[in-house]
Amino acid sequence: MNATYGIQLRHPLPYDLVGTRLTLAAVGTAFEAAYGWRLLHGDRVVDQGFFQAGSMGLMEAFVHEESISFESTGPAMLQFFGDDPSGEHPPGQDLVEVPVILIPGMQGYRVHQVVAGDTLSKIATDYGSQWQHIAAANRIPNPDLIHVGQILKVPIPVGG
């Protein structure tokens, strides 16, 4: 997943939730210290951007944060890469890919342990969330099947 030289992505980790902000933490170097990222939902790019960090040719740790917006919910792929001004290696050099979960409008999440009588709808109502977002965040294939003791990430919308 991570290149030995070029980019070592530290955040997000596989299946982290991505909402209204994207935080990228890495150690890396790139041409003119320029990096690019994009979020893919299937074959569709739902958001993307470029930024500069560190110094050209010097391996440095950095954190970059961006406000993002998208409508898609569910599994996605984050691509993170060094800029390739030649255009010969799209989307860029030292490509790192990590699977993430997209939850539109999410500012963060709370952790909930399922108790007797809980349903995704009840939990969503209790936290001001949506059951579809809870199912996506936890990769639950059958929303009617949760178990007592199960730990769930409950996405919380902005202002929630």
Side-chain angles (χ1 to χ4, degrees):
M1 180 190 295
N2 290 333
T4 303
Y5 176 80
I7 298 173
Q8 298 172 16
L9 188 63
R10 306 294 172 88
H11 185 272
L13 296 173
Y15 304 106
D16 274 352
L17 305 184
V18 175
T20 59
R21 300 202 55 79
L22 175 64
T23 302
L24 300 163
V27 175
T29 184
F31 179 77
E32 295 182 349
Y35 297 92
W37 62 271
R38 63 185 185 181
L39 285 168
L40 301 171
H41 189 250
D43 292 335
R44 190 170 59 86
V45 175
V46 295
D47 208 342
Q48 62 187 335
F50 281 91
F51 63 95
Q52 289 190 289
S55 304
M56 182 170 74
L58 182 62
M59 293 291 286
E60 290 188 72
F62 59 88
V63 175
H64 177 75
E65 199 171 64
E66 276 197 43
S67 294
I68 59 174
S69 179
F70 52 85
E71 298 298 321
S72 304
T73 300
M77 185 64 67
L78 170 69
Q79 293 183 329
F80 184 58
F81 46 89
D83 186 27
D84 177 21
S86 72
E88 293 177 18
H89 305 285
Q93 296 186 4
D94 297 317
L95 174 65
V96 178
E97 295 183 301
V98 63
V100 295
I101 307 291
L102 299 178
I103 307 291
M106 180 194 75
Q107 71 176 345
Y109 66 90
R110 298 199 193 282
V111 176
H112 176 84
Q113 185 169 17
V114 176
V115 296
D118 274 350
T119 64
L120 290 188
S121 293
K122 179 184 179 309
I123 296 167
T125 299
D126 291 348
Y127 287 96
S129 189
Q130 296 179 32
W131 71 263
Q132 298 91 335
H133 289 174
I134 299 170
N138 295 281
R139 299 184 295 156
I140 296 173
N142 181 349
D144 295 323
L145 186 59
I146 57 175
H147 306 283
V148 170
Q150 186 175 357
I151 305 295
L152 299 176
K153 295 176 185 174
V154 181
I156 303 300
V158 172

